[in-house]
Amino acid sequence: MKFNPANNIQDLQYFGEFGGVNPSISDSSTYTFISAKTMLDTFEGNTDGCYLYSRHSTPSNLYLGEALAAMEGTEAANVASSGMGAITPTILQICGHGDHVVSSRTIYGGTYAFLKNFTSRMGIETTFVDITKLRAVEAAITTTTKIIYCESVSNPLLEVADIKALSVLAKKYNLKLIVDNTFSPLSISPAQLGADIVIHSLTKFINGSSDSMGGVVCGTSEFVNSLKSVIDGASMLLGASMDSLRSSSILKNMRTLHIRIKQHSFNAAYLANKFEKDGLKTVYPGLESHPSHALFKTMMNVAYGFGGILTVDAGSLEKANALMELMQEKNIGYLAVSLGFYKTLFSAPGTSTSSEIPEDERKEMGLSEGLIRFSIGLDNDIERTYKIMKTCMLEVGVL
């Protein structure tokens, strides 16, 4: 059968302690043992089914992890308190002093700053490349390279990674291919395309209500268990643990993810086509004008569309800011970072989520000051939304 992430989520069934249709929440920071021997075995990693301390794991976190692993089709998953709380331990679990990372040049600003400015303190170096040029990726690999890192659909330029081809490259040189799939949950399933590790910021589409932070690392049981090791596990020792109440809330929201992603994608595709016809410089993987449109189609789970993110170039930062302020005033959505909310969110990445990237590098990669990133909401009448947005664009001179 063709891989279907939504079916995998739906097929999971849990019962609460008293027969509830939701699993009971483990509201404890620590767990008791009947015998001292079992505690010792648990510390040494030899006991399955026993809980030690909530920084290590909780029943609630394991339920959420199981659902996310099912969604990506991996053996296991470990949840964290934020997207960066998933990304940073993953890299540090694999790399140490003297190691090297090959990374896409267009990634989330926090990830870029971590690889550019933070890991270099530890003797871990990163080469940033155009991930769409496989020859450039291969040319950047050295004898000390451990990781190829990319995003399925990059933030904010919406470049699409050829995950299958990158997987072949990673295997050729015995590297780990890590793919951040935050922009395209359900639409793309990186592990099915050859990625070794799949990461999400749960804060975004997966939770979908902009009220919780969270992250997840999906991979083999061996790797996930290594992250949680009390001896040398980066997730365990760095402490980016998720609270049980938050994990139970995100698990509930996952049940509507397939419905939400379909609507996000439908609305984004509608607007992208309208904006492009209006003459705006519009980037969206679902447009035939997107340079990786055909590639995306070969990787996608068709039912979930091309995602809910698009960009429009307003021509200048001044026009971008004026447009965003007016759209917020007209109740289109919010001038805010992040994505995946039920309302449309918009920001100028050059002065917000990608501001960690130096100005000269932003220019080199094509991240203009007037670029607006839209996370399109769940609007029921998207034609009405478009008409209001077009009026705003005419008023501020973007059209």
Side-chain angles (χ1 to χ4, degrees), residues 13 25 29 68 73 113 205 209 215 261 264 267 311-312 315-316 320 348 368:
Q13 193 164 355
I25 300 170
S29 62
L68 290 160
F205 285 111
S209 52
I261 291 297
H264 283 303
N267 286 351
T311 68
V312 166
S316 69
S368 65

Side-chain angles (χ1 to χ4, degrees), residues 71-99:
M71 181 185 79
E72 290 295 352
T74 60
E75 290 178 349
N78 186 50
V79 297
S81 56
S82 69
M84 289 303 294
I87 291 166
T88 55
T90 298
I91 293 168
L92 295 178
Q93 191 69 25
I94 298 170
C95 291
H97 188 276
D99 289 336

Side-chain angles (χ1 to χ4, degrees), residues 40-70:
L40 174 63
D41 288 343
T42 303
F43 264 100
E44 293 183 346
N46 298 324
T47 307
D48 290 327
C50 289
Y51 298 97
L52 175 66
Y53 183 57
S54 59
R55 178 157 53 86
H56 182 253
S57 193
T58 69
S60 297
N61 288 357
L62 288 177
Y63 286 135
L64 177 58
E66 186 177 356
L68 290 160

Side-chain angles (χ1 to χ4, degrees), residues 324-333 343 384 388-389 391-392 395:
M324 292 188 293
E325 289 171 4
L326 184 58
M327 288 191 298
Q328 181 166 254
E329 183 183 318
K330 297 295 185 182
N331 200 31
I332 289 296
K343 290 278 281 187
R384 169 179 173 268
I388 300 171
M389 292 176 82
T391 300
C392 293
E395 185 171 331

Side-chain angles (χ1 to χ4, degrees), residues 265-300:
S265 292
F266 177 85
N267 286 351
Y270 180 93
L271 291 175
N273 279 285
K274 288 288 189 181
F275 293 155
E276 187 171 64
K277 287 176 182 176
D278 288 334
L280 288 170
K281 185 179 178 182
T282 307
V283 177
Y284 180 66
L287 294 174
E288 291 188 7
S289 59
H290 191 288
S292 297
H293 174 70
L295 171 63
F296 196 111
K297 288 178 72 174
T298 67
M299 298 192 296
M300 71 188 297

